[in-house]
Amino acid sequence: MRPRLDVDGDGIGDLLYRDVKGELRATHSRWNSSGGYAIRSQDRSERPKELLTPGDLDGNGEDEILTLSASGTLALYESAGERTDTTGEVLWSGNGWQKYNKVSAPGDLNGDGRRGDLIARTPSGDVYAYTATGTVDAPYEPGVKIGYGWDVYDQIVGLDDANGDGFGDVVARTPRGDLYFYAGTGDLAKPFKAREQVGYGYDVYNQLVAVGDTDGDGHADFMARKENGDTYSYRSTGAGTFAPRVFDKTGWEEAVLFAGAGGNPDYGKHELLAITNAGLFWWYQFKNNGELAKRSTHSPDGEPSGADIGTTLYAGSFSNDGEPAQVHVYQGQLWVGGNFIGRGWDAYDNLTAPGDLSGDGKADLLARDAKGDLYLYEGNGLGTAFAPKAKVGYGYDTYTKIVGGGDLSGDGIADVVAVAKNGTLYLYEGTGNGSVPLKARKVIGTGFDIYNKFAAPGDLNGDGKADLIGVNGYGDLYRYTSTGTGSISPRVQIGDNWNIYRAIS
């Protein structure tokens, strides 16, 4: 089976990924995480939230790469690999893909011999197929609905052909760890046979990843990564099942995003801002394994904030660059990443930047006033302006903290978490509808009044789901990992002496 990505031309499939530093890299061999070399898009202003390797779409012997931006642009790149240190030029792009929370490349779905077909899932669980045309200037036919009910899965992996019949296959995992195999039929009217359960206990992994044929038997395999960075190979038997796992490598926690990864793509900030009592800034990068790296800043004593900048919120990206943005309110003026937005923002006592709440792929702001009314400001996708405010709730003055930093419920839509004065923790799941952006609240915890600092920093452990952190009165730092089902796992201490900070975000 020819690899779907061979950027160095050695006939061995390569693995494309983005590391914790934000570099797009590819391996010289499937399992050598330390031997990867950097490749880059010509557009450095974009950091994709999902990567796909569909293979050679036009039959010219060169593999292509697909990237999906936060705002829903699917772009096709020429793969030039190590020879030019670049992914090459953009061959095609299409918009509107933000309506899906997962896009995967399963292989040939309609039996025409082209392995570059795609499937895309909506938050409600509907699945659409996009079949390859064989050209790169218009690479896909319009989407066709092929299934429903796939919202039960938190990971969907397009394998390519795993059972030797020439058709694309898929494995899908439930949050409880059950693994199902969907065998391709080659008939787009019904592209998959009934699912077959092929394993359980796969919830020990934070990512399942398509890796192609790793043992040369002509059948597609997959990789599974644990939180500590250890990876295991699951090799296809050729009969729609997989042999017992084989340990491959450690150190793969360095990959923030794999091409062909099964989990919903995360677009968080992957960095935490901590402000000392003296007003100095320190940043903590994520290790992608549930822990924080050693704090850093441009100054050995902490980054001075300069003038009194008032309220500071460290938010995720407001554009496609994937870079975190500092949000300041000073003397009523709102500044986002250095851009002046407007005046009158001292009317609000809480700002929250959970991500995209309106479903257009662009990050938004929530603001609460002294009366407890909640307003939505939809972003323009550049971090330079927001649409006029829209009132979306009331009674939010009962909360001491309102935070948001990604998806906790597993549907790919940003959520909001609030701590009541009595310590009850509530989850407001996002709807993706700007008119009514939040569902009714539900209790997901109690006793959270012990934390004097509380934040939703994004994905700490590499599973694509938003996590929570809190600092108690002793200065102990705790992590609450999202299960991806709207609940959180028991807390784990990941730091101490955090009472030197007055705020975290």
Side-chain angles (χ1 to χ4, degrees):
M1 179 185 296
R2 184 185 184 278
R4 288 196 289 182
L5 182 70
D6 180 14
V7 291
D8 54 0
D10 63 357
I12 301 174
D14 299 313
L15 190 59
L16 185 70
Y17 67 98
R18 186 172 72 234
D19 66 16
V20 292
K21 297 179 181 179
E23 292 288 338
L24 187 63
R25 305 183 70 85
T27 59
H28 280 297
S29 62
R30 292 183 181 91
W31 311 118
N32 188 356
S33 62
S34 62
Y37 52 86
I39 62 177
R40 64 177 184 269
S41 160
Q42 289 181 340
D43 186 356
R44 297 290 288 175
S45 66
E46 282 201 9
R47 182 179 295 179
K49 70 173 185 178
E50 189 145 39
L51 299 167
L52 296 167
T53 51
D56 179 10
L57 293 181
D58 57 359
N60 69 349
E62 296 288 342
D63 301 317
E64 283 79 45
I65 295 171
L66 284 167
T67 67
L68 180 62
S69 74
S71 58
T73 298
L74 188 69
L76 182 68
Y77 286 83
E78 177 186 34
S79 173
E82 189 179 24
R83 297 185 296 279
T84 59
D85 189 34
T86 177
T87 53
E89 65 181 42
V90 178
L91 303 173
W92 167 87
S93 64
N95 298 320
W97 290 74
Q98 74 276 0
K99 63 186 177 183
Y100 301 116
N101 64 2
K102 185 63 194 169
V103 181
S104 187
D108 181 11
L109 292 177
N110 60 353
D112 63 359
R114 302 187 183 109
R115 297 162 60 197
D117 301 337
L118 304 178
I119 58 172
R121 182 190 65 180
T122 67
S124 64
D126 293 338
V127 181
Y128 292 80
Y130 291 80
T131 54
T133 63
T135 66
V136 294
D137 54 348
Y140 290 103
E141 300 285 356
V144 176
K145 186 175 179 180
I146 60 171
Y148 59 89
W150 284 53
D151 52 328
V152 298
Y153 302 122
D154 67 347
Q155 300 235 1
I156 299 173
V157 182
L159 295 174
D160 207 356
D161 179 19
N163 59 5
D165 60 5
F167 306 131
D169 303 318
V170 169
V171 289
R173 187 192 75 175
T174 67
R176 64 181 291 176
D178 294 334
L179 190 72
Y180 293 89
F181 179 73
Y182 285 85
T185 66
D187 179 5
L188 193 61
K190 190 178 181 181
F192 298 113
K193 298 178 182 178
R195 70 179 189 176
E196 296 284 345
Q197 186 169 353
V198 293
Y200 58 90
Y202 283 78
D203 52 334
V204 299
Y205 304 116
N206 61 12
Q207 285 292 343
L208 307 180
V209 184
V211 292
D213 177 16
T214 62
D215 54 3
D217 66 354
H219 302 134
D221 310 312
F222 71 92
M223 178 182 82
R225 183 186 66 179
K226 298 184 74 172
E227 188 173 291
N228 65 359
D230 291 347
T231 57
Y232 297 84
S233 177
Y234 283 88
R235 292 172 179 144
S236 173
T237 64
T241 59
F242 297 88
R245 71 181 190 181
V246 177
F247 175 75
D248 286 306
K249 286 283 185 179
T250 191
W252 272 109
E253 71 275 10
E254 76 165 359
V256 173
L257 177 66
F258 287 106
N264 290 347
D266 169 64
Y267 204 65
K269 53 194 174 186
H270 292 282
E271 199 172 33
L272 179 72
L273 171 65
I275 307 174
T276 69
N277 294 317
L280 300 174
F281 290 1
W282 290 92
W283 283 267
Y284 291 82
Q285 288 191 327
F286 301 170
K287 289 185 176 180
N288 214 40
N289 62 1
E291 300 178 356
L292 299 175
K294 184 179 179 180
R295 70 180 189 176
S296 62
T297 187
H298 299 296
S299 168
D301 299 317
E303 183 73 19
S305 61
D308 182 6
I309 57 174
T311 302
T312 299
L313 171 68
Y314 200 48
S317 179
F318 284 93
S319 66
N320 285 331
D321 65 5
E323 295 294 335
Q326 291 186 37
V327 179
H328 304 299
V329 177
Y330 174 63
Q331 295 182 348
Q333 301 176 4
L334 178 67
W335 295 80
V336 175
N339 297 315
F340 173 70
I341 303 300
R343 295 178 173 83
W345 288 77
D346 49 354
Y348 302 116
D349 60 9
N350 186 282
L351 292 179
T352 306
D356 174 27
L357 289 173
S358 61
D360 61 0
K362 303 169 185 177
D364 308 315
L365 270 180
L366 284 175
R368 180 189 68 180
D369 66 17
K371 296 187 298 182
D373 293 337
L374 192 68
Y375 295 90
L376 173 67
Y377 287 84
E378 294 187 26
N380 68 348
L382 301 172
T384 58
F386 293 89
K389 69 180 181 181
K391 186 175 178 179
V392 293
Y394 59 90
Y396 282 78
D397 52 337
T398 60
Y399 300 120
T400 59
K401 302 174 184 68
I402 303 173
V403 300
D407 172 32
L408 281 87
S409 62
D411 60 3
I413 302 173
D415 304 316
V416 172
V417 172
V419 180
K421 295 176 181 178
N422 65 359
T424 302
L425 184 69
Y426 291 96
L427 171 66
Y428 288 86
E429 293 185 22
T431 65
N433 180 349
S435 299
V436 187
L438 302 175
K439 298 179 182 179
R441 71 181 187 179
K442 67 176 183 178
V443 177
I444 61 171
T446 57
F448 280 75
D449 49 341
I450 65 172
Y451 300 116
N452 51 39
K453 289 175 279 290
F454 193 69
D459 176 24
L460 285 165
N461 67 343
D463 63 358
K465 303 160 187 171
D467 304 316
L468 304 172
I469 56 173
V471 179
N472 65 15
Y474 299 103
D476 298 328
L477 177 69
Y478 290 93
R479 181 191 79 233
Y480 290 86
T481 301
S482 171
T483 65
T485 60
S487 62
I488 51 178
S489 299
R491 70 180 189 178
V492 176
Q493 186 172 350
I494 59 173
D496 55 28
N497 199 35
W498 279 66
N499 48 11
I500 64 173
Y501 300 117
R502 75 182 185 195
I504 58 174
S505 181

